[in-house]
Amino acid sequence: MTAGDDRQRGVLSPTGARYVLLIVTLTLAGAFAGQVIHNLVLGPSWAAAVLKCAGRGAALFPDSAFDRALYVSRCTGPVQRREAEVSLVGSAAVLLFGLAGLWVLPRRLLRRAGPLKAVPARWQELADRVAAEMGVRRPPRLVWGAAPVREAFVLGRGGRSRVVLPRGIRLLPEAEAEAIVRHEVGHLAAGDTVLVWLTRGLWWALPPVLLAAPLVAAVQGWRLPETSPLRMLSHPFWAEYGARALILLVVAALVTQLIMRSREHEADLAAVRGQSVALWESLLGGAQPAGRRSWLDRARANHPTHDRRLAVLRAPLTLLRPSLLDTLVVGLLAAVLLDSMDGLGNLALSGTSWSSAPVGALSAGLFLAVGWGVAVWRDTQARGGANSGALRWLHPALGMSAGAGLLVRLQSTGTTASGPMRGWPLLIVLPLAVMGAASLGAAFARLWSSRLGAECIDFRDQLAVVTVNALLFGGALWLAMDFCTMLKVAFAEPVLYAVLLTGPYSASSGTRAVGLAAVAVTALWAALRRARPLDSHWLPALGMAGAVVASAVTRLGYRPSAMPRDWTATWQLDVLTALCAGAVCAVTLVACRGSDGLGPALYAAPAASVLTATVLWAARFGSWRHPFDVWATVLVEGSLSGLVVVVVALAAPAGLLPAWGAGRRTVTGGAAAVAALAAIAAVVALEHFGDAVLLR
Amino acid sequence: MPVPGPGGWAAVESLGRAVFAVLDTDSRADYAEWFEEFREDPQGVVKPALTPAVGSGVTVTSALLYVLPVAAWLVKVVAEGLAGQAVDTLSQTVRAKIGRLLEDRRGGAAPALDPDEEQVALAALAAWARSVGADAEQAGTVARAVIAVLRAGGAG
């Protein structure tokens, strides 16, 4: 038996994604420490500036809350940016310490492993040969470690890489010794030898940076006459800060262990590529202390057990499959990242017309794309285009862990009572948005993976998957944040208006429409390039056709007298009709195919909306002064922006459904009829009761 | 780690070579190179094993790693009267017999250890091997190999 091919390297491998996850989280924790230090040292001048601006704003704009808020935002911009800069100094400190660790820690290990001694030529020739086989351009230099070295390890990269071998390796059978050398060169092939030390450096850098804030508080307590260090630190803020810092460190330790074990699996897989697994069975099948180890030992272990390593070598899919622990950690850290970036963005963009929501959402979206979306796609790819059965149950776990991340984040210290950013509803909305995006990501993975096997993964695939997942997750998070912001505005019907202002009437409708269009075009391309049964193409086509024809005909042909006839109402109802067509198409596909309908819905629903909008636009072509502008910036933009909300909301529960109806002609044939009937009902309802959803 | 005096190294080399011959049936190890490395840094074997966090997770271990430390200890015990908890179980008679067995290669007819004496020596050798890091199985293997060498007529 030989191991399967698995050519994922760098940050897009399961381990690489976890590295990114940890590095970003640790770095952002430094930002919060910097923010606390800013508040301790520069807080008084910040507060004075804000109060001054608020007073001026009230004097200048006594009657307009909007103008007053705008003025205060611009006026406080410099002090807010200063806070952001000091926060970033905290991140920079963590990074600098981490980089110092990258330099110091390997050297310290080498010193402990020494004195080192050059290996005989035949060992170096072995390394050269193995490196050439694995595609490592510059083979590592092999050296013997001193007597205490019992495990081989690799350091450095490129021409400076070195593999330190235990001298006892000479006592092993030749094939087993080669297996160990292959494993070490496998780390070089996987490209993780620098990342692992950077991660360890950051891990060691974080505690002193987190301790800096209470230290500054203690110094202030000592310097200021009216207080003392003990009094300063006895404030409940510091107890909460300590507890949250502890949680962060535990999570970071957990991720570090995941990384360390995952990198061993990846190096094993790289080493065994094209080789017989039997050799590794001989090497790893010997005495293994795992059975005697306590659960604490196993939890702390940097290496997987030999049994687990063999299991992964025999079935590499088990490594690709996202585990529950992966899910919980990714969700939690994504929420921490979202909040941190939102907070930093809020400070840095203060006084500008830019919103911080997309900054946080897209950062966390990219992070989820790499940490989760790529893992799901790799797993789906290896399964020939099918998601694993357990995946749909991991989506709620991902959402809930993101919700938990909003609660435990370090940045919440001292503001627990006011809830997460954008209020308590985000605790419900954010998990649902993450669930929806995860379900759509899994559906896209099925579309993109079916034709090609796991051996055909290239840069274009990776780019497409990361981009689409980043758009899905980033878009969903952005929607959730905007929705919760709108909920805070005192409308008569807050939920309805929050949906409308997040969807079709959003100020960011253009960006959202472009994002959905990009996802739709990529999904359509993925669907068309696949060798699939013809009925798979007919189903979305018929569903879309039914929804488009029925919506447009009903909208143009049915005019109840109660409906307002002004142009504002006309274009808004046209937008909502196009939105209805897309929504009906998506629901029809899910009804016909269960969770498998989400993939076709990614392209068919937007296409239905655009076609419907185009038909309605063409019917009124002569009425518009700038018809082409209207088509693009009003009808298509509004309907697609609204459709984003519908698709994400639909995907959250639909992703939990099993797949059904594949290959049934009756289902395919009925799709058009179901879509048409549903569209007629929806548009008639809109014509009768749509006045409530018009923006006046 | 007790280090033999200048004269003792020859006995260690001789005993170690014979024990290697018993255990290393495939002749994988270059004994001369192995012995030189041990002689350069005999204390290295008693340092705690270095298991780096970034290591391969496969601990390279073999009973052969403990042959020379055990041989060096035995020579030190016999030739230089080393004292210690593990050593004290070896009576002067047993030490003398082992000393003569180690010199047997020079042509003397050394008296063999009786079964009880072998058991005592075996336990002491294994205990020392354990103390320098061997697991129970490796310690027993090395101790039995040393006894086999002594039984077969010393180190020669």
Side-chain angles (χ1 to χ4, degrees):
Chain A
M1 183 169 76
T2 59
D5 204 351
D6 177 27
R7 294 200 173 275
Q8 295 310 287
R9 296 175 184 178
V11 296
L12 293 179
S13 69
T15 308
R18 288 167 184 161
Y19 278 124
V20 174
L21 194 141
L22 187 61
I23 288 169
V24 169
T25 308
L26 295 183
T27 307
L28 286 172
F32 179 64
Q35 196 176 350
V36 175
I37 292 172
H38 166 274
N39 293 344
L40 285 166
V41 179
L42 301 170
S45 68
W46 178 89
V50 171
L51 282 174
K52 194 173 165 188
C53 288
R56 276 192 195 161
L60 289 171
F61 305 100
D63 302 324
S64 169
F66 180 78
D67 288 339
R68 191 162 58 242
L70 199 63
Y71 172 81
V72 170
S73 171
R74 282 189 187 142
C75 177
T76 56
V79 285
Q80 301 281 48
R81 275 191 288 279
R82 184 183 67 185
E83 186 179 348
E85 284 158 12
V86 176
S87 303
L88 288 175
V89 168
S91 285
V94 173
L95 265 183
L96 276 177
F97 279 129
L99 288 171
L102 178 64
W103 195 83
V104 170
L105 294 174
R107 280 162 182 77
R108 182 168 157 263
L109 177 60
L110 271 185
R111 205 168 49 248
R112 287 173 62 207
L116 305 174
K117 190 178 161 190
V119 297
R122 71 181 182 87
W123 284 89
Q124 188 57 52
E125 284 162 12
L126 167 67
D128 295 350
R129 175 172 61 78
V130 166
E133 283 174 17
M134 290 191 193
V136 176
R137 277 189 302 165
R138 296 183 190 168
R141 192 155 68 83
L142 260 54
V143 289
W144 296 136
V149 175
R150 303 290 162 81
E151 280 185 33
F153 60 92
V154 61
L155 297 162
R157 60 181 297 226
R160 298 166 68 95
S161 56
R162 266 192 281 191
V163 172
V164 178
L165 294 174
R167 297 185 181 200
I169 198 173
R170 290 168 294 180
L171 303 173
L172 294 179
E174 210 164 292
E176 290 187 12
E178 179 176 333
I180 290 177
V181 172
R182 290 186 77 89
H183 173 91
E184 297 309 325
V185 179
H187 281 302
L188 293 172
D192 64 10
T193 51
V194 172
L195 282 174
V196 72
W197 286 109
L198 180 61
T199 306
R200 293 189 73 75
L202 287 171
W203 162 245
W204 285 112
L206 189 59
V209 172
L210 289 176
L211 279 174
L215 192 67
V216 169
V219 169
Q220 281 201 326
W222 175 66
R223 284 183 56 204
L224 297 175
E226 69 275 19
T227 185
S228 68
L230 190 63
R231 198 168 162 198
M232 284 290 279
L233 293 175
S234 61
H235 192 283
F237 175 89
W238 293 110
E240 194 184 334
Y241 176 89
R244 289 177 187 274
L246 193 64
I247 290 173
L248 178 74
L249 287 171
V250 168
V251 171
L254 205 62
V255 181
T256 304
Q257 301 303 86
L258 278 175
I259 289 172
M260 299 299 283
R261 293 175 203 167
S262 171
R263 77 185 285 268
E264 296 306 326
H265 287 309
E266 288 198 355
D268 281 347
L269 288 172
V272 81
R273 192 172 294 138
Q275 302 276 310
S276 166
V277 175
L279 181 61
W280 268 260
E281 285 172 340
S282 153
L283 183 68
L284 299 173
Q288 161 71 7
R292 296 196 299 274
R293 291 190 297 178
S294 69
W295 67 269
L296 189 61
D297 287 338
R298 286 198 296 276
R300 288 172 52 204
N302 285 327
H303 299 94
T305 62
H306 287 191
D307 288 345
R308 169 79 179 143
R309 289 173 79 164
L310 278 175
V312 169
L313 282 173
R314 289 174 188 138
L317 272 180
T318 53
L319 174 65
L320 302 177
R321 186 186 310 144
S323 67
L324 180 62
L325 191 59
D326 288 335
T327 309
L328 297 178
V329 168
V330 167
L332 193 128
L333 293 185
V336 171
L337 174 66
L338 173 74
D339 182 57
S340 304
M341 292 304 290
D342 185 51
L344 280 175
N346 214 6
L347 292 173
L349 298 172
S350 186
T352 71
S353 60
W354 295 85
S355 161
S356 64
V359 176
L362 291 177
S363 306
L366 184 62
F367 174 79
L368 281 163
V370 175
W372 176 261
V374 172
V376 168
W377 165 65
R378 283 164 51 85
D379 184 39
T380 308
Q381 178 92 338
R383 289 168 193 279
N387 293 145
S388 82
L391 186 64
R392 67 175 192 261
W393 301 114
L394 292 180
H395 295 157
L398 186 71
M400 282 190 275
S401 60
L406 289 178
L407 289 177
V408 302
R409 72 214 159 106
L410 195 58
Q411 276 79 347
S412 288
T413 311
T415 61
T416 307
S418 60
M421 49 148 191
R422 291 173 170 77
W424 292 108
L426 194 66
L427 279 183
I428 296 167
V429 178
L430 187 85
L432 289 174
V434 170
M435 264 178 76
S439 300
L440 292 171
F444 178 77
R446 289 195 296 272
L447 280 182
W448 193 267
S449 306
S450 288
R451 189 168 66 91
L452 305 170
E455 69 281 3
C456 298
I457 293 172
D458 59 22
F459 179 72
R460 192 187 60 179
D461 289 327
Q462 293 177 349
L463 187 67
V465 169
V466 170
T467 306
V468 168
N469 274 284
L471 288 172
L472 289 172
F473 279 109
L477 294 173
W478 189 7
L479 288 183
M481 293 163 86
D482 270 7
F483 177 78
C484 292
T485 304
M486 294 302 169
L487 274 184
K488 286 184 165 181
V489 181
F491 290 119
E493 292 181 67
V495 175
L496 176 64
Y497 275 89
V499 169
L500 291 170
L501 289 170
T502 309
Y505 307 140
S506 166
S508 309
S509 58
T511 313
R512 284 169 195 176
V514 168
L516 181 61
V519 171
V521 168
T522 317
L524 180 62
W525 158 246
L528 290 177
R529 70 177 190 159
R530 293 167 50 194
R532 303 177 67 202
L534 200 58
D535 73 299
S536 299
H537 293 308
W538 277 113
L539 178 71
L542 288 174
M544 183 177 67
V548 170
V549 172
S551 301
V553 168
T554 309
R555 168 76 182 129
L556 294 171
Y558 181 69
R559 294 290 183 92
S561 56
M563 211 51 228
R565 302 202 178 258
D566 59 279
W567 274 112
T568 307
T570 301
W571 72 255
Q572 286 186 26
L573 282 173
D574 283 355
V575 165
L576 293 174
T577 302
L579 167 57
C580 274
V584 163
C585 177
V587 171
T588 304
L589 290 172
V590 169
C592 291
R593 297 293 305 278
S595 57
D596 257 3
L598 284 175
L602 275 174
Y603 58 88
S609 281
V610 172
L611 284 174
T612 307
T614 306
V615 171
L616 298 176
W617 167 80
R620 309 185 208 285
F621 187 81
S623 309
W624 303 109
R625 188 176 295 169
H626 303 289
F628 294 101
D629 287 351
V630 168
W631 178 82
T633 60
V634 177
L635 297 175
V636 171
E637 198 177 291
S639 58
L640 287 186
S641 177
L643 190 60
V644 174
V645 179
V646 173
V647 169
V648 171
L650 173 69
L656 296 173
L657 298 172
W660 62 66
R664 287 193 195 163
R665 290 190 175 188
T666 47
V667 170
T668 305
V674 171
L677 288 174
I680 291 168
V683 177
V684 166
L686 190 66
E687 296 271 14
H688 274 279
F689 309 109
D691 202 24
V693 293
L694 297 182
L695 200 64
R696 297 287 187 175
Chain B
M1 175 75 208
V3 181
W9 279 112
V12 173
E13 197 276 341
S14 179
L15 176 61
R17 182 183 293 280
V19 178
F20 254 68
V22 171
L23 294 178
D24 186 21
T25 49
D26 301 337
S27 301
R28 279 185 208 127
D30 178 346
Y31 178 72
E33 185 186 26
W34 205 252
F35 177 74
E36 269 317 303
E37 285 173 2
F38 177 69
R39 188 167 178 171
E40 277 172 21
D41 181 20
Q43 304 300 340
V45 291
V46 290
K47 288 180 189 163
L50 179 67
T51 49
V54 296
S56 63
V58 179
T59 304
V60 173
T61 184
S62 161
L64 286 171
L65 291 171
Y66 304 100
V67 168
L68 286 170
V70 168
W73 174 79
L74 188 60
V75 168
K76 186 85 179 169
V77 167
V78 170
E80 300 174 26
L82 186 75
Q85 195 177 358
V87 185
D88 292 343
T89 56
L90 292 178
S91 65
Q92 285 305 322
T93 316
V94 174
R95 293 185 194 207
K97 276 186 177 180
I98 293 174
R100 284 208 292 281
L101 284 168
L102 290 176
E103 290 177 0
D104 193 36
R105 58 190 300 192
R106 295 169 193 164
L113 295 173
D114 64 38
D116 288 342
E117 290 168 338
E118 275 191 2
Q119 282 307 312
V120 171
L122 191 73
L125 288 164
W128 175 251
R130 294 291 310 263
S131 74
V132 292
D135 63 29
E137 190 184 337
Q138 291 166 337
T141 302
V142 173
R144 282 192 296 276
V146 172
I147 294 295
V149 166
L150 293 176
R151 200 184 290 156

